[in-house]
Amino acid sequence: MVKRGLRFSSLFHTKFIILLYNEVMKKILVVEDEPAICELLVNYLKNEGYEVASAEDGVSALSLFAKETFDLVILDIMIPKIDGYGVCEVVKKQSDVPVIFLSALGDEQSLLKGYDCMADDYVTKPFSMPVFLRKVRAVLRREDAADTGKSSNLTVYGNISMNADTMEVIAGGKSVELTSREFDLLALLLKHPGRVFTREVLLDMLWDYNAFVDERIVDSHIKNLRHKLGEEGNCIETVRGRGYKVAKEDL
């Protein structure tokens, strides 16, 4: 038991908190073709208490992903054989494993393409390692929260029902597959009908360390939700100049 009066060095305190969080060691796949950067990432992540595997090209990455179970993929975009976008699309089609892009491509088009691939975060090189490690921790924490459920198990709005225990969504009588982030976003909106959520507030609630995240990632996730929900997706309204909401149901 750690008493409040004890003092720790900054490094020890950080590692202590991480070890408490990682009661079961998280496994991370690093996909990076620059040996120096790959080695740096692997060493830092291992030092933080994670189990780490690495690949230098898209084919090797997908082969590893098919054979082993990962909790997070850190993915460069400009990698040989299959680029990062292609790898991300396969990962997201096959699983809900979160993906963080780590790339030298910092232009708007590249960022938007990354978000459209349903990446959970996008970090540009050069980057701050302490900030990056906190992003990793935040993404993994969100995934754990989504797995355990954070409030009531069942949410019903109109023809949409959501089960937090099973991550199942039924819209218009049809099963809908959502990523964990899309699920959290939809659940938040449906549980607060009539309330307008600004992009900034949504980032604060669902994307930790939002100062380093482009607000357009919210727009991309809303677009994906509407598409997947079909006609039922029309319940998500855009409030110009403010954000998004779902209307209060008629009594």
Side-chain angles (χ1 to χ4, degrees):
M1 177 68 66
V2 179
K3 297 180 180 180
R4 294 181 63 183
L6 293 178
R7 293 185 178 182
F8 301 91
S9 69
S10 176
L11 176 61
F12 182 83
H13 182 265
T14 299
K15 294 187 72 175
F16 178 77
I17 295 299
I18 292 171
L19 287 173
L20 282 178
Y21 166 64
N22 286 336
E23 292 182 3
V24 178
M25 184 180 289
K26 302 294 184 180
K27 190 170 184 179
I28 299 175
L29 174 59
V30 175
V31 188
E32 170 62 65
D33 65 331
E34 295 186 35
I37 296 178
C38 185
E39 182 179 4
L40 185 70
L41 286 167
V42 169
N43 288 339
Y44 266 92
L45 289 167
K46 285 184 176 179
N47 192 51
E48 294 295 303
Y50 301 111
E51 183 180 354
V52 187
S54 63
E56 63 181 13
D57 63 71
V59 172
S60 299
L62 291 177
S63 177
L64 270 175
F65 189 81
K67 296 175 183 176
E68 303 180 32
T69 300
F70 293 96
D71 299 290
L72 173 67
V73 178
I74 297 171
L75 184 58
D76 189 13
I77 292 176
M78 296 184 293
I79 53 176
K81 298 183 181 179
I82 302 175
D83 68 15
Y85 296 129
V87 173
C88 184
E89 289 177 358
V90 173
V91 168
K92 289 298 185 179
K93 285 180 180 178
Q94 297 180 352
S95 72
D96 286 330
V97 174
V99 173
I100 299 178
F101 275 126
L102 181 61
S103 175
L105 299 175
D107 60 283
E108 181 178 285
Q109 184 176 359
S110 297
L111 267 69
L112 290 176
K113 187 174 181 179
Y115 292 144
D116 286 341
C117 290
M118 296 190 295
D120 295 80
D121 210 335
Y122 192 117
V123 179
T124 55
K125 303 174 184 176
F127 61 97
S128 163
M129 185 61 76
V131 171
F132 181 74
L133 292 174
R134 282 166 174 76
K135 284 176 174 285
V136 168
R137 200 186 318 161
V139 168
L140 290 171
R141 186 170 64 247
R142 287 196 300 265
E143 291 303 303
D144 279 352
D147 288 341
T148 58
K150 292 173 282 189
S151 55
S152 60
N153 296 333
L154 185 64
T155 301
V156 178
Y157 178 95
N159 294 321
I160 302 174
S161 63
M162 306 179 68
N163 188 316
D165 287 336
T166 61
M167 295 290 287
E168 292 178 337
V169 178
I170 304 296
K174 298 180 180 179
S175 177
V176 179
E177 292 188 10
L178 301 181
T179 66
S180 59
R181 185 68 53 76
E182 291 168 350
F183 188 96
D184 290 346
L185 177 57
L186 181 60
L188 181 63
L189 292 171
L190 297 189
K191 288 178 180 179
H192 301 88
R195 176 179 172 181
V196 177
F197 288 90
T198 66
R199 293 172 179 83
E200 182 178 3
V201 167
L202 290 172
L203 286 174
D204 283 336
M205 299 182 74
L206 301 176
W207 282 267
D208 291 2
Y209 306 101
N210 61 83
F212 302 95
V213 180
D214 193 311
E215 287 188 353
R216 286 167 295 187
I217 192 174
V218 175
D219 300 333
S220 179
H221 278 69
I222 291 291
K223 177 182 176 182
N224 290 335
L225 272 177
R226 286 170 170 163
H227 175 72
K228 290 183 176 182
L229 294 172
E231 290 185 5
E232 305 303 329
N234 294 328
C235 71
I236 303 175
E237 302 177 3
T238 300
V239 182
R240 292 187 179 277
R242 296 192 62 191
Y244 299 98
K245 72 170 184 176
V246 297
K248 291 184 177 181
E249 293 188 88
D250 295 331
L251 297 178

